């Protein structure tokens, strides 16, 4: 009898002496827990240099760069080694991971059927399941269906925020007269872009603070009713009290809805207790995290870079697949979307693709491009950028050069 895909993965690992796990996210940690009894897992591999040296359940994280040079030095020892790739952005990572020279690489997502679930550190098994579903769908789409699958689209629902972080990577600190985005406009844009995609794993409703848009509950209602979207995530700073009655009637499907809550501390995220109690009561999944891993990526600054430098900046940018919907346009990242809204970069049609464009043009834009013109004005978000103190507040909007 044929093994289930998950059992097949376990039996593949039996054929190897050493196992490497690409990705130190929830999926990578979950996999380490499943394989820990075999004692074969050598390390996690991470594109993000900042995670190097971290540990999980006794397994250390090596940066891609470090591992690449150490493996090159001792080539003979990696013949019976297996690399299991757990990254959702598989199109970016697959070839790069293959260059490590480990004898075989397999994508975790193709083996995720009938797998065991468990909590991973502070993440509940529900959230682990959600993360593994994203890995499964992205790997299936990339390797089998070859359709147009996007992991996520950030939908800008407001320029307003109840906070003004001077280094906000969504550039909220620059808006002088921030406004909400019209609900019907948002709905039309989402419908139009979805008509060009085969599947979208996640719509992320972002701002600013999405709950400052009074139509947010209707927008949630619309988004959670979409068949070709697996999940809808609200990104909130917990400064705004949730309206229980409106939330109750807002979602057509609470299983599709989740909250990503940044906890900025008692003084700022003062509604966190209310938000938490309500989400618990309604059994809506949420994840609370501290403002971590901030880098200096909120400056709009014209940097004179060569073509080669621009290509490298884009290649190494962890924000380049944060597709963002704004003004009937799909952008590669929130920086480009907001810098364009603010006229902080010269207008250039290569910064985006119109949602009304045909599927081929959209495929080409979300695929393997060299960079976008907005990258000239951005410090970038590479994995090795130093961290900064998060969430320093500015009283007044920050001034910038307008084009
Ligand atoms: S980083 Fe700060 S300013 Fe930006 S959206 Fe979040 S809370 Fe608002
Ligand atoms: S470097 Fe380019 S892709 Fe990356 S965040 Fe900046 S503008 Fe966006």
């Amino acid at each position: 009898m044929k093994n289930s895909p998950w059992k097949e993965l376990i039996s593949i690992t039996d054929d190897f002496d050493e196992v490497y796990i690409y990705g130190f996210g929830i999926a990578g940690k979950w996999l380490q827990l499943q394989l820990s009894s075999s004692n074969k897992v050598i390390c996690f591999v991470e594109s993000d240099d900042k995670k190097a040296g971290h540990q999980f359940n006794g397994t250390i994280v090596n940066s891609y760069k470090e591992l690449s040079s150490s493996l090159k030095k001792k080539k003979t020892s990696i013949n019976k080694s297996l690399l299991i790739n757990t990254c959702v952005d598989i199109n970016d990572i697959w070839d790069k991971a293959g260059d490590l020279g480990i004898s075989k690489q397999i994508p975790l997502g193709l083996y995720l059927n009938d797998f065991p679930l468990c909590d991973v550190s502070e993440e509940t098994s529900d959230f682990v399941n959600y993360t593994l579903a994203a890995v499964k769908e992205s790997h299936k789409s990339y390797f089998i269906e070859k359709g147009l699958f996007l992991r996520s689209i950030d939908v800008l629902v407001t320029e307003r925020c109840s906070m003004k972080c001077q280094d906000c990577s969504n550039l909220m600190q620059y808006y002088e007269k921030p406004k909400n985005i019209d609900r019907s406009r948002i709905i039309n844009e989402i419908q139009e872009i979805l008509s060009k995609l085969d599947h979208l794993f996640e719509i992320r409703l972002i701002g600013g603070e999405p709950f400052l848009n009074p139509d947010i509950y209707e927008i949630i209602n619309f988004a959670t009713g979409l068949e070709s979207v697996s999940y809808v995530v609200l990104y909130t700073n917990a400064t705004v009290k949730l309206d229980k009655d409106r939330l109750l009637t807002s979602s057509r499907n609470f299983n599709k809805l989740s909250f990503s809550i940044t906890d900025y501390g008692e003084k700022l995220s003062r509604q966190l207790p209310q938000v938490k109690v309500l989400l618990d009561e309604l059994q809506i999944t949420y994840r609370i995290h501290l403002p971590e891993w901030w880098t200096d990526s909120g400056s709009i600054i014209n940097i004179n870079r060569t073509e080669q430098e621009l290509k490298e900046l884009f290649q190494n940018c962890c924000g380049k697949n944060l597709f963002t919907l704004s003004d009937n346009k799909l952008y590669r990242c929130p920086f480009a979307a907001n810098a364009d809204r603010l006229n902080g970069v010269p207008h250039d049609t290569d910064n985006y693709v119109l949602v009304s464009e045909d599927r081929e043009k959209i495929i080409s834009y979300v695929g393997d491009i060299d960079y976008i013109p907005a990258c000239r004005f951005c410090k970038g978000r590479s994995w090795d950028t130093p961290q900064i103190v998060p969430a320093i507040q500015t009283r007044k909007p920050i001034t910038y050069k307008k084009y």
Side-chain angles (χ1 to χ4, degrees):
M1 205 170 74
K2 205 172 176 293
N3 272 343
S4 77
W6 172 248
K7 285 189 181 145
E8 198 184 326
L9 181 134
I10 298 296
S11 73
I12 292 173
T13 62
D14 290 342
D15 296 339
F16 291 86
D17 299 331
E18 298 179 347
V19 174
Y20 294 80
I21 297 176
Y22 207 113
F24 188 56
I26 294 168
K29 291 175 185 168
W30 169 83
L31 181 63
Q32 193 276 357
L33 288 172
Q34 307 313 314
L35 301 180
S36 58
S37 59
S38 72
N39 289 325
K40 288 186 178 181
V41 179
I42 304 299
C43 67
F44 294 97
V45 190
E46 253 297 335
S47 307
D48 184 350
D49 292 354
K50 293 194 285 303
K51 293 184 182 165
H54 285 234
Q55 288 209 14
F56 175 76
N57 196 28
T59 299
I60 196 155
V61 183
N62 268 305
S63 77
Y64 176 87
K65 279 187 215 153
E66 283 167 358
L67 189 68
S68 175
S69 69
S70 74
L71 288 182
K72 272 177 193 139
K73 282 183 203 148
K74 49 168 193 171
K75 259 200 159 152
T76 47
S77 69
I78 58 169
N79 287 339
K80 290 223 73 179
S81 297
L82 175 70
L83 179 67
I84 307 180
N85 201 317
T86 69
C87 301
V88 172
D89 290 329
I90 192 77
N91 48 331
D92 280 347
I93 305 288
W94 185 255
D95 291 345
K96 181 178 170 178
D99 290 344
L100 279 168
I102 292 173
S103 40
K104 185 177 172 83
Q105 180 182 195
I106 57 172
L108 173 68
L110 299 194
Y111 299 89
L112 288 175
N113 264 353
D114 295 330
F115 50 84
L117 266 178
C118 61
D119 292 355
V120 174
S121 303
E122 70 281 8
E123 307 297 353
T124 63
S125 57
D126 273 357
F127 195 76
V128 174
N129 196 23
Y130 165 78
T131 308
L132 294 176
V135 175
K136 182 176 173 177
E137 286 194 27
S138 79
H139 291 192
K140 241 174 66 194
S141 165
Y142 185 71
F143 291 103
I144 300 173
E145 293 156 1
K146 315 277 183 206
L148 185 47
F149 165 90
L150 288 187
R151 151 117 214 197
S152 66
I153 292 183
D154 288 13
V155 177
L156 189 71
V157 301
T158 183
E159 296 166 345
R160 298 172 62 211
C161 193
S162 40
M163 292 171 54
K164 272 252 177 298
C165 305
Q166 66 172 23
D167 300 299
C168 174
S169 57
N170 286 5
L171 310 185
M172 295 301 123
Q173 65 278 41
Y174 296 102
Y175 283 99
E176 287 156 15
K177 290 183 182 160
K179 54 183 193 311
N180 293 319
I181 318 295
D182 182 66
R183 184 206 323 174
S184 58
R185 176 165 204 149
I186 291 172
I187 289 176
N188 289 340
E189 287 176 11
I190 295 177
Q191 277 171 332
E192 177 98 46
I193 192 70
L194 285 181
S195 71
K196 316 285 167 67
L197 307 181
D198 294 300
H199 195 79
L200 174 61
F201 183 71
E202 191 175 271
I203 284 182
R204 303 168 171 199
L205 300 175
I206 63 156
E209 168 50 52
F211 284 94
L212 291 182
N213 184 328
D215 287 347
I216 189 64
Y217 295 98
E218 288 76 15
I219 297 169
I220 295 171
N221 185 281
F222 163 76
T224 52
L226 292 163
E227 263 184 32
S228 55
V229 175
S230 301
Y231 290 99
V232 176
V233 187
L234 268 294
Y235 279 73
T236 177
N237 57 22
T239 53
V240 181
K241 213 171 175 180
L242 299 186
D243 183 324
K244 181 177 175 182
D245 294 338
R246 292 189 71 198
L247 188 58
L248 257 177
T249 51
S250 74
S251 184
R252 304 186 203 184
N253 187 350
F254 275 166
N255 292 332
K256 266 195 182 183
L257 185 62
S258 72
F259 279 59
S260 176
I261 306 168
T262 309
D263 179 1
Y264 289 100
E266 274 174 25
K267 278 194 186 150
L268 293 168
S269 300
R270 52 197 172 278
Q271 300 301 341
L272 186 58
Q274 188 263 351
V275 171
K276 219 166 148 298
V277 166
L278 185 56
L279 296 181
D280 281 334
E281 187 187 332
L282 301 182
Q283 297 188 330
I284 296 174
T285 310
Y286 62 88
R287 183 166 182 254
I288 300 174
H289 54 91
L290 298 172
E292 291 172 323
W293 309 108
W294 280 39
T295 57
D296 183 8
S297 50
S299 310
I300 311 175
I301 178 166
N302 191 352
I303 303 171
N304 203 3
R305 294 190 177 100
T306 62
E307 282 287 300
Q308 190 50 34
E309 285 169 337
L310 282 163
K311 284 181 188 170
E312 279 169 23
L313 182 86
F314 186 79
Q315 185 62 37
N316 296 327
C317 179
C318 64
K320 65 177 183 284
N321 292 326
L322 293 177
F323 299 105
T324 305
L325 200 57
S326 156
D327 265 347
N328 281 316
K329 299 168 194 127
L330 186 69
Y331 292 84
R332 290 294 302 223
C333 60
F335 179 94
N338 285 292
D340 210 15
R341 287 182 81 81
L342 288 155
N343 297 320
V345 293
H347 182 72
D348 193 319
T349 52
D350 286 344
N351 273 326
Y352 55 82
V353 60
L354 287 170
V355 292
S356 55
E357 285 290 7
D358 57 35
R359 187 176 149 98
E360 278 59 45
K361 283 225 169 93
I362 291 173
I363 290 177
S364 150
Y365 179 76
V366 302
D368 198 11
I369 60 175
D370 286 341
Y371 62 88
I372 52 174
C375 297
R376 293 181 196 281
F377 295 80
C378 176
K379 289 192 175 172
R381 294 171 70 171
S382 78
W383 300 112
D384 52 5
T385 313
Q387 288 184 57
I388 58 167
V389 177
I392 297 172
Q393 299 298 293
T394 169
R395 277 176 183 275
K396 290 187 179 162
I398 294 178
T399 54
Y400 63 99
K401 179 176 174 184
K402 288 188 187 165
Y403 289 88

